[in-house]
Amino acid sequence: MAAMADDDLGLLDRWCAGDQAAGNELFSRHFDGLYRFFEHKIDGDADELVQETFLACVRSRDSFRRQSSFRTYLFAIARHALYAYWRKRGGVAARTDDIAEVSIASLSTTAGSRLTRHQEQARLLAALRELPMDQQLLLELHYWEDLDGDQLAEVFDTAPATSRSRLFRARAALRTQLGTLPPIITGAMP
């Protein structure tokens, strides 16, 4: 993983210098992860926000301190793009100072239509969407994108200990939220 992270930084440098093939390689490496990041958090197509994230990456490359991996840098940009998306949409997000504390369910009008086909995934996603956005993002980046406490700290611009304690609280909140949802119904109906 470390070799790929170093290689990502080299690709970023080459892309910023005009090497389109390097940009395409970075895009193909990280597209799926970014798509998963956005997929169940917006009311539209995640492709557009993935592209916006990569464009913002190029525009802000000079501010990248390279204290973390390119991947964590990319997810930090994605997080800001997600917040900007919801602020532009108006509604609850436009009226709050701390969008990180607003749930996706309260922002989205079509939350039910965005859930996966599998009942267990649908239940988990429904519970995640009820959490404050930062808790949802912490859990997804940790479990689905394998970011550790230090990497999460970089994405959320906090101290590593703060990210770990927030992750602990997010897990507890998810357990509570799952407990409030109806159980999955399997088998034939009587």
Side-chain angles (χ1 to χ4, degrees), residues 42-168:
I42 63 172
D43 285 337
D45 189 10
D47 290 338
E48 187 174 321
L49 282 178
V50 170
Q51 289 178 11
E52 281 182 31
T53 299
F54 275 104
L55 289 173
C57 168
V58 171
R59 286 192 299 265
S60 66
R61 71 185 178 270
D62 294 334
S63 66
F64 180 34
R65 297 180 308 257
R66 296 177 185 243
Q67 294 173 334
S68 63
S69 71
F70 174 76
R71 191 165 178 251
T72 59
Y73 170 63
L74 203 56
F75 280 118
I77 293 170
R79 177 175 164 252
H80 291 288
L82 177 65
Y83 290 176
Y85 166 86
W86 282 112
R87 282 190 181 100
K88 279 190 248 177
R89 298 280 314 253
V92 174
R95 294 187 308 268
T96 184
D97 290 333
D98 194 1
I99 193 166
E101 295 298 319
V102 178
S103 73
I104 297 287
S106 69
L107 297 173
S108 176
T109 57
T110 61
S113 66
R114 300 278 177 220
L115 298 177
T116 64
R117 286 174 269 171
H118 300 96
Q119 289 180 345
E120 286 185 25
Q121 288 176 334
R123 188 168 183 265
L124 176 61
L125 287 172
L128 280 168
R129 290 174 65 105
E130 291 296 330
L131 297 176
M133 197 178 308
D134 264 5
Q135 287 186 340
Q136 179 182 353
L137 297 177
L138 274 166
L139 291 168
E140 290 180 2
L141 289 172
H142 179 70
Y143 289 106
W144 294 336
E145 302 303 331
D146 296 319
L147 297 186
D148 65 22
D150 292 341
Q151 293 168 321
L152 290 170
E154 181 72 24
V155 171
F156 288 88
D157 196 24
T158 64
T162 302
S163 286
R164 285 188 282 278
S165 66
R166 287 180 181 175
L167 183 60
F168 177 82

